[in-house]
């Protein structure tokens, strides 16, 4: 399967979105898909156990370089997603992207442009973007 641009995906979503055309429907479906993504991740921890969370206070000193901070700060995750959990989470993220593209369509926003601008901002601001 070939790669698809964000513009092509956004256009495809516009063609497919029939049932939930109201901004209120799309907002609620977007929120629901976000919750389903979170739930799938949580189930990979609590039901499958392929990943675990070991959270502790993050120690961070303001004088650290970005590279030092990347090495020091922890994700709190151990393990790797199994194939089943990976498929489920990827599917939920896909639904979330569908409703994000739907939201952009209804508001006449270009998702590709938004991502490009955010990437430019990250490149320009670098570490200062994190605050």
């Amino acid at each position: 399967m070939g790669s698809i641009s964000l513009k092509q995906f956004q256009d495809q979503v516009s063609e497919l979105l029939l049932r939930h055309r109201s901004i209120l429907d799309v907002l609620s479906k977007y929120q629901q898909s976000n919750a389903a993504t979170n739930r799938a991740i949580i189930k990979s921890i609590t039901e499958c156990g392929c990943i675990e969370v070991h959270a502790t206070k993050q120690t961070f000193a303001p004088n650290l370089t970005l590279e030092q901070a990347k090495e020091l700060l922890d994700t709190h995750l151990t393990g790797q997603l199994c194939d089943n959990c990976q498929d489920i989470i990827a599917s939920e993220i896909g639904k979330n992207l569908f409703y994000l593209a739907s939201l952009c369509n209804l508001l006449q926003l270009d998702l590709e442009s938004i991502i490009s601008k955010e990437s430019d901002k990250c490149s320009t601001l670098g570490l200062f973007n994190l605050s």
Side-chain angles (χ1 to χ4, degrees), residues 25 58 61 69 83 108 124:
D25 287 336
Q58 297 277 30
D83 290 342
Q108 298 177 351
T124 301

Side-chain angles (χ1 to χ4, degrees), residues 41-107:
I41 295 167
I42 290 167
K43 287 175 87 172
S44 70
I45 298 164
T46 61
E47 290 185 14
C48 178
C50 59
I51 59 174
E52 296 179 3
V53 175
H54 298 278
T56 58
K57 180 180 177 182
Q58 297 277 30
T59 54
F60 183 80
N63 59 343
L64 293 176
T65 67
L66 181 57
E67 291 306 313
Q68 289 170 327
K70 285 180 183 179
E71 289 178 23
L72 181 65
L73 298 176
D74 191 359
T75 66
H76 296 137
L77 287 173
T78 59
Q80 276 192 315
L81 290 174
C82 68
D83 290 342
N84 184 54
C85 288
Q86 191 174 26
D87 289 345
I88 292 168
I89 293 168
S91 175
E92 295 298 344
I93 290 172
K95 291 174 193 170
N96 194 255
L97 290 171
F98 178 90
Y99 287 107
L100 176 62
S102 299
L103 189 59
C104 288
N105 285 337
L106 290 176
L107 298 171

